[in-house]
Amino acid sequence: MTAATPATSYRAGFLPDIASRREYFGAWAELSVLQYFVAESAVIAAWAGPEPYDRRTGYISDLGAVHCGIYEDRDVCSPLHLLMNASFVVQGLGMLVGALLLSSALLCVAARPGVRLAVGSGHRVPWFTALGAKILTFTAGTGTIIVGLVPEDAGWFAVHLTGALMYFIGGALALLLLGALWRRQSPLGWFILACGGVSFVALVIGGVTGMAVPEPGTLERFMGYPVTIGLAAAGLVIAQRVRQELRAAQTARAAARATTSVASGQ
């Protein structure tokens, strides 16, 4: 008897070549979004408003506000607003680069070694799901770049809000698609799916209530934090998988050279 093929989400087909440094760089670009948490903590520590900044009640965008004073009904003053806005831009660039460099084929198989892709008219869903996740990640990255380039008090709040919605909606939906793609490959798929679900539910609550809740900062972070965490987790998994494939390819090439050398010496 032959060894059993690892359980897969799709019928047996071909295993795409993912031993690519381009894919590896794209995975680390996705993982780089974690820098946001470091930047946010530093900006909060430097807050100079009359009251300490509270993550439960303070809006994330207040940390990027350029001017000190009353904005809407909040007294904001963020001396390190440049750092916060730069972090938004860097986060968005990481998402854009990841979306551009990571292939749909890789996203289909990254969660578990041995998963194969089938071709043909009956096997299109995984490809479209992966492509949808890439497009939505690109949209979310573009949105957070807009947030960083157009602070809430820059005079174009509609543009700022549009960018924020692009990030929240695009990020949540991207994770839902990626989680659905991976859920039968790895338990991590369920974690990715949960991140997308939490973000999307919080977004719906925010839309229904107009953010008129006792802790708007908490609600907004339930929209945004899962997106950052979920994308970073996905980036880590993909980076590990591609690294394994790169090492395997290097070993195979070394073995081939050794075989050729022995053969030529005989």
Side-chain angles (χ1 to χ4, degrees), residues 214-259:
E215 296 186 2
T218 298
L219 181 58
E220 189 179 27
R221 282 168 172 81
F222 270 116
M223 297 179 198
Y225 281 9
V227 173
T228 302
I229 294 170
L231 288 175
L236 179 61
V237 169
I238 295 170
Q240 290 176 334
R241 177 70 191 279
V242 175
R243 185 180 182 185
Q244 291 171 357
E245 296 293 334
L246 285 169
R247 286 182 171 178
Q250 290 173 351
T251 301
R253 286 194 296 269
R257 286 195 297 268
T259 301

Short mmCIF file of all heavy atoms in Angstrom, two decimals, residues 214-259:
data_model
loop_
_atom_site.label_atom_id
_atom_site.label_comp_id
_atom_site.label_asym_id
_atom_site.label_seq_id
_atom_site.Cartn_x
_atom_site.Cartn_y
_atom_site.Cartn_z
N PRO A 214 -20.68 53.65 25.36
CA PRO A 214 -19.92 54.13 26.52
C PRO A 214 -18.40 54.10 26.32
O PRO A 214 -17.69 54.95 26.85
CB PRO A 214 -20.34 53.15 27.63
CG PRO A 214 -21.69 52.66 27.21
CD PRO A 214 -21.63 52.59 25.72
N GLU A 215 -17.89 53.13 25.56
CA GLU A 215 -16.46 53.02 25.34
C GLU A 215 -16.16 52.93 23.84
O GLU A 215 -15.87 51.86 23.30
CB GLU A 215 -15.89 51.80 26.06
CG GLU A 215 -16.01 51.88 27.57
CD GLU A 215 -15.30 50.73 28.28
OE1 GLU A 215 -14.68 49.89 27.59
OE2 GLU A 215 -15.35 50.68 29.53
N PRO A 216 -16.22 54.06 23.13
CA PRO A 216 -15.98 54.03 21.68
C PRO A 216 -14.57 53.57 21.32
O PRO A 216 -14.36 52.96 20.26
CB PRO A 216 -16.23 55.47 21.25
CG PRO A 216 -16.03 56.29 22.50
CD PRO A 216 -16.51 55.42 23.62
N GLY A 217 -13.60 53.86 22.18
CA GLY A 217 -12.23 53.42 21.91
C GLY A 217 -12.11 51.91 21.92
O GLY A 217 -11.42 51.32 21.09
N THR A 218 -12.81 51.29 22.88
CA THR A 218 -12.81 49.83 22.94
C THR A 218 -13.44 49.24 21.68
O THR A 218 -12.91 48.30 21.08
CB THR A 218 -13.57 49.35 24.18
OG1 THR A 218 -12.90 49.84 25.37
CG2 THR A 218 -13.61 47.83 24.24
N LEU A 219 -14.59 49.81 21.29
CA LEU A 219 -15.28 49.31 20.10
C LEU A 219 -14.42 49.47 18.86
O LEU A 219 -14.32 48.55 18.03
CB LEU A 219 -16.61 50.04 19.93
CG LEU A 219 -17.47 49.60 18.74
CD1 LEU A 219 -17.80 48.12 18.82
CD2 LEU A 219 -18.74 50.45 18.66
N GLU A 220 -13.77 50.63 18.73
CA GLU A 220 -12.94 50.85 17.55
C GLU A 220 -11.76 49.89 17.52
O GLU A 220 -11.35 49.41 16.46
CB GLU A 220 -12.44 52.29 17.52
CG GLU A 220 -11.75 52.66 16.22
CD GLU A 220 -11.28 54.10 16.17
OE1 GLU A 220 -11.02 54.68 17.24
OE2 GLU A 220 -11.17 54.63 15.05
N ARG A 221 -11.22 49.57 18.67
CA ARG A 221 -10.10 48.64 18.72
C ARG A 221 -10.55 47.21 18.44
O ARG A 221 -9.78 46.41 17.90
CB ARG A 221 -9.38 48.76 20.06
CG ARG A 221 -8.48 50.00 20.08
CD ARG A 221 -7.95 50.37 21.45
NE ARG A 221 -6.97 51.43 21.31
CZ ARG A 221 -7.27 52.73 21.17
NH1 ARG A 221 -8.56 53.12 21.20
NH2 ARG A 221 -6.33 53.64 21.03
N PHE A 222 -11.77 46.88 18.76
CA PHE A 222 -12.31 45.58 18.36
C PHE A 222 -12.49 45.52 16.84
O PHE A 222 -12.51 44.44 16.26
CB PHE A 222 -13.64 45.30 19.05
CG PHE A 222 -13.50 44.59 20.37
CD1 PHE A 222 -13.88 45.20 21.55
CD2 PHE A 222 -12.98 43.30 20.42
CE1 PHE A 222 -13.74 44.54 22.77
CE2 PHE A 222 -12.83 42.63 21.63
CZ PHE A 222 -13.21 43.26 22.81
N MET A 223 -12.62 46.68 16.20
CA MET A 223 -12.66 46.72 14.74
C MET A 223 -11.26 46.54 14.14
O MET A 223 -11.08 45.81 13.16
CB MET A 223 -13.20 48.07 14.25
CG MET A 223 -14.61 48.40 14.62
SD MET A 223 -15.01 50.06 13.97
CE MET A 223 -16.45 50.46 14.95
N GLY A 224 -10.28 47.23 14.73
CA GLY A 224 -8.97 47.31 14.12
C GLY A 224 -7.93 46.31 14.59
O GLY A 224 -7.20 45.76 13.77
N TYR A 225 -7.87 46.07 15.90
CA TYR A 225 -6.84 45.17 16.42
C TYR A 225 -6.90 43.77 15.80
O TYR A 225 -5.86 43.21 15.45
CB TYR A 225 -6.94 45.07 17.94
CG TYR A 225 -6.35 46.23 18.71
CD1 TYR A 225 -5.92 47.39 18.07
CD2 TYR A 225 -6.23 46.17 20.10
CE1 TYR A 225 -5.39 48.45 18.79
CE2 TYR A 225 -5.70 47.22 20.83
CZ TYR A 225 -5.28 48.36 20.18
OH TYR A 225 -4.76 49.41 20.90
N PRO A 226 -8.09 43.15 15.68
CA PRO A 226 -8.12 41.81 15.09
C PRO A 226 -7.59 41.77 13.66
O PRO A 226 -7.02 40.75 13.24
CB PRO A 226 -9.61 41.44 15.14
CG PRO A 226 -10.18 42.26 16.24
CD PRO A 226 -9.43 43.55 16.16
N VAL A 227 -7.77 42.85 12.91
CA VAL A 227 -7.26 42.89 11.54
C VAL A 227 -5.73 42.83 11.57
O VAL A 227 -5.10 42.03 10.85
CB VAL A 227 -7.73 44.16 10.80
CG1 VAL A 227 -7.05 44.27 9.44
CG2 VAL A 227 -9.24 44.14 10.64
N THR A 228 -5.12 43.66 12.40
CA THR A 228 -3.66 43.67 12.50
C THR A 228 -3.13 42.33 13.00
O THR A 228 -2.17 41.78 12.44
CB THR A 228 -3.21 44.80 13.45
OG1 THR A 228 -3.70 46.05 12.96
CG2 THR A 228 -1.69 44.85 13.54
N ILE A 229 -3.76 41.79 14.04
CA ILE A 229 -3.31 40.51 14.60
C ILE A 229 -3.50 39.37 13.60
O ILE A 229 -2.62 38.52 13.42
CB ILE A 229 -4.06 40.22 15.91
CG1 ILE A 229 -3.68 41.25 16.98
CG2 ILE A 229 -3.77 38.81 16.41
CD1 ILE A 229 -4.54 41.20 18.23
N GLY A 230 -4.65 39.34 12.95
CA GLY A 230 -4.94 38.28 12.00
C GLY A 230 -4.00 38.29 10.81
O GLY A 230 -3.49 37.24 10.39
N LEU A 231 -3.74 39.47 10.25
CA LEU A 231 -2.83 39.57 9.11
C LEU A 231 -1.40 39.20 9.51
O LEU A 231 -0.68 38.56 8.74
CB LEU A 231 -2.88 40.98 8.53
CG LEU A 231 -4.15 41.35 7.77
CD1 LEU A 231 -4.11 42.81 7.35
CD2 LEU A 231 -4.33 40.46 6.54
N ALA A 232 -0.99 39.61 10.71
CA ALA A 232 0.35 39.27 11.17
C ALA A 232 0.48 37.76 11.38
O ALA A 232 1.51 37.17 11.02
CB ALA A 232 0.66 40.01 12.47
N ALA A 233 -0.55 37.14 11.93
CA ALA A 233 -0.53 35.68 12.11
C ALA A 233 -0.43 34.97 10.77
O ALA A 233 0.33 34.01 10.60
CB ALA A 233 -1.78 35.23 12.87
N ALA A 234 -1.19 35.45 9.80
CA ALA A 234 -1.13 34.87 8.46
C ALA A 234 0.26 35.05 7.86
O ALA A 234 0.81 34.13 7.24
CB ALA A 234 -2.19 35.50 7.57
N GLY A 235 0.84 36.24 8.03
CA GLY A 235 2.17 36.49 7.51
C GLY A 235 3.21 35.57 8.12
O GLY A 235 4.11 35.08 7.43
N LEU A 236 3.08 35.30 9.43
CA LEU A 236 4.03 34.42 10.10
C LEU A 236 3.93 32.99 9.56
O LEU A 236 4.94 32.35 9.28
CB LEU A 236 3.77 34.43 11.61
CG LEU A 236 4.67 33.53 12.45
CD1 LEU A 236 6.13 33.95 12.30
CD2 LEU A 236 4.25 33.58 13.92
N VAL A 237 2.70 32.51 9.40
CA VAL A 237 2.50 31.16 8.87
C VAL A 237 3.08 31.04 7.46
O VAL A 237 3.78 30.07 7.14
CB VAL A 237 1.00 30.81 8.86
CG1 VAL A 237 0.75 29.53 8.06
CG2 VAL A 237 0.49 30.64 10.27
N ILE A 238 2.81 32.03 6.63
CA ILE A 238 3.28 31.99 5.25
C ILE A 238 4.81 32.06 5.20
O ILE A 238 5.46 31.34 4.44
CB ILE A 238 2.67 33.14 4.43
CG1 ILE A 238 1.14 32.95 4.34
CG2 ILE A 238 3.27 33.21 3.04
CD1 ILE A 238 0.41 34.15 3.77
N ALA A 239 5.39 32.93 6.05
CA ALA A 239 6.86 33.05 6.08
C ALA A 239 7.50 31.73 6.48
O ALA A 239 8.51 31.32 5.89
CB ALA A 239 7.26 34.16 7.05
N GLN A 240 6.93 31.05 7.48
CA GLN A 240 7.48 29.77 7.91
C GLN A 240 7.37 28.73 6.80
O GLN A 240 8.31 27.96 6.57
CB GLN A 240 6.75 29.29 9.17
CG GLN A 240 7.06 30.12 10.40
CD GLN A 240 6.25 29.69 11.61
OE1 GLN A 240 5.15 29.13 11.50
NE2 GLN A 240 6.78 29.92 12.80
N ARG A 241 6.22 28.71 6.12
CA ARG A 241 6.03 27.73 5.05
C ARG A 241 7.00 27.97 3.89
O ARG A 241 7.62 27.03 3.38
CB ARG A 241 4.59 27.78 4.55
CG ARG A 241 4.29 26.85 3.38
CD ARG A 241 4.29 25.39 3.82
NE ARG A 241 4.27 24.50 2.67
CZ ARG A 241 3.18 24.18 1.98
NH1 ARG A 241 2.00 24.69 2.33
NH2 ARG A 241 3.25 23.34 0.97
N VAL A 242 7.13 29.22 3.48
CA VAL A 242 8.03 29.53 2.36
C VAL A 242 9.48 29.25 2.75
O VAL A 242 10.26 28.73 1.94
CB VAL A 242 7.86 30.99 1.91
CG1 VAL A 242 8.88 31.35 0.84
CG2 VAL A 242 6.45 31.23 1.38
N ARG A 243 9.83 29.54 4.00
CA ARG A 243 11.20 29.27 4.45
C ARG A 243 11.49 27.77 4.38
O ARG A 243 12.59 27.36 3.96
CB ARG A 243 11.38 29.78 5.88
CG ARG A 243 12.81 29.64 6.40
CD ARG A 243 12.91 30.17 7.81
NE ARG A 243 14.28 30.08 8.31
CZ ARG A 243 14.65 30.38 9.55
NH1 ARG A 243 13.72 30.81 10.41
NH2 ARG A 243 15.90 30.28 9.93
N GLN A 244 10.52 26.95 4.78
CA GLN A 244 10.70 25.50 4.69
C GLN A 244 10.90 25.06 3.24
O GLN A 244 11.77 24.23 2.95
CB GLN A 244 9.47 24.79 5.28
CG GLN A 244 9.33 24.93 6.79
CD GLN A 244 7.99 24.41 7.28
OE1 GLN A 244 7.13 23.99 6.50
NE2 GLN A 244 7.81 24.42 8.60
N GLU A 245 10.11 25.64 2.35
CA GLU A 245 10.22 25.28 0.94
C GLU A 245 11.55 25.74 0.36
O GLU A 245 12.17 25.04 -0.47
CB GLU A 245 9.06 25.89 0.14
CG GLU A 245 7.70 25.35 0.53
CD GLU A 245 7.51 23.90 0.18
OE1 GLU A 245 8.19 23.41 -0.76
OE2 GLU A 245 6.72 23.22 0.85
N LEU A 246 12.02 26.92 0.77
CA LEU A 246 13.31 27.41 0.29
C LEU A 246 14.44 26.50 0.75
O LEU A 246 15.37 26.19 -0.02
CB LEU A 246 13.55 28.84 0.78
CG LEU A 246 12.76 29.95 0.07
CD1 LEU A 246 12.89 31.27 0.82
CD2 LEU A 246 13.24 30.12 -1.38
N ARG A 247 14.39 26.08 2.02
CA ARG A 247 15.43 25.18 2.53
C ARG A 247 15.40 23.84 1.81
O ARG A 247 16.45 23.28 1.48
CB ARG A 247 15.23 24.97 4.03
CG ARG A 247 15.64 26.18 4.88
CD ARG A 247 15.46 25.89 6.35
NE ARG A 247 16.03 26.94 7.19
CZ ARG A 247 15.97 26.94 8.52
NH1 ARG A 247 15.36 25.95 9.16
NH2 ARG A 247 16.52 27.92 9.21
N ALA A 248 14.19 23.33 1.57
CA ALA A 248 14.06 22.06 0.86
C ALA A 248 14.62 22.18 -0.55
O ALA A 248 15.30 21.26 -1.05
CB ALA A 248 12.60 21.63 0.82
N ALA A 249 14.36 23.30 -1.22
CA ALA A 249 14.87 23.50 -2.56
C ALA A 249 16.40 23.60 -2.56
O ALA A 249 17.07 23.05 -3.45
CB ALA A 249 14.26 24.77 -3.16
N GLN A 250 16.96 24.28 -1.55
CA GLN A 250 18.41 24.40 -1.45
C GLN A 250 19.04 23.03 -1.22
O GLN A 250 20.08 22.70 -1.81
CB GLN A 250 18.77 25.36 -0.32
CG GLN A 250 18.44 26.81 -0.61
CD GLN A 250 18.66 27.71 0.60
OE1 GLN A 250 18.90 27.23 1.71
NE2 GLN A 250 18.55 29.01 0.40
N THR A 251 18.41 22.23 -0.36
CA THR A 251 18.92 20.88 -0.10
C THR A 251 18.89 20.02 -1.35
O THR A 251 19.82 19.27 -1.65
CB THR A 251 18.10 20.21 1.02
OG1 THR A 251 18.17 21.00 2.21
CG2 THR A 251 18.61 18.81 1.31
N ALA A 252 17.78 20.13 -2.09
CA ALA A 252 17.65 19.36 -3.33
C ALA A 252 18.70 19.77 -4.35
O ALA A 252 19.29 18.91 -5.04
CB ALA A 252 16.25 19.53 -3.91
N ARG A 253 18.96 21.07 -4.46
CA ARG A 253 19.97 21.54 -5.40
C ARG A 253 21.37 21.05 -5.01
O ARG A 253 22.18 20.67 -5.86
CB ARG A 253 19.93 23.06 -5.52
CG ARG A 253 18.75 23.60 -6.30
CD ARG A 253 18.96 25.06 -6.66
NE ARG A 253 19.03 25.91 -5.48
CZ ARG A 253 17.97 26.51 -4.93
NH1 ARG A 253 16.77 26.34 -5.47
NH2 ARG A 253 18.11 27.28 -3.87
N ALA A 254 21.64 21.09 -3.68
CA ALA A 254 22.94 20.63 -3.20
C ALA A 254 23.13 19.14 -3.48
O ALA A 254 24.21 18.69 -3.89
CB ALA A 254 23.07 20.90 -1.71
N ALA A 255 22.05 18.37 -3.27
CA ALA A 255 22.12 16.93 -3.54
C ALA A 255 22.33 16.67 -5.03
O ALA A 255 23.09 15.77 -5.42
CB ALA A 255 20.85 16.25 -3.05
N ALA A 256 21.65 17.45 -5.87
CA ALA A 256 21.80 17.29 -7.31
C ALA A 256 23.22 17.61 -7.75
O ALA A 256 23.80 16.91 -8.61
CB ALA A 256 20.80 18.17 -8.03
N ARG A 257 23.81 18.67 -7.17
CA ARG A 257 25.18 19.03 -7.54
C ARG A 257 26.15 17.93 -7.10
O ARG A 257 27.10 17.61 -7.83
CB ARG A 257 25.56 20.36 -6.90
CG ARG A 257 24.92 21.57 -7.57
CD ARG A 257 25.60 22.86 -7.14
NE ARG A 257 25.46 23.09 -5.70
CZ ARG A 257 24.48 23.80 -5.15
NH1 ARG A 257 23.54 24.34 -5.95
NH2 ARG A 257 24.42 23.99 -3.86
N ALA A 258 25.90 17.39 -5.91
CA ALA A 258 26.77 16.33 -5.42
C ALA A 258 26.70 15.09 -6.30
O ALA A 258 27.72 14.46 -6.61
CB ALA A 258 26.39 15.97 -3.99
N THR A 259 25.48 14.76 -6.72
CA THR A 259 25.29 13.61 -7.61
C THR A 259 25.99 13.82 -8.94
O THR A 259 26.66 12.92 -9.48
CB THR A 259 23.79 13.36 -7.84
OG1 THR A 259 23.16 13.12 -6.58
CG2 THR A 259 23.58 12.16 -8.75
#
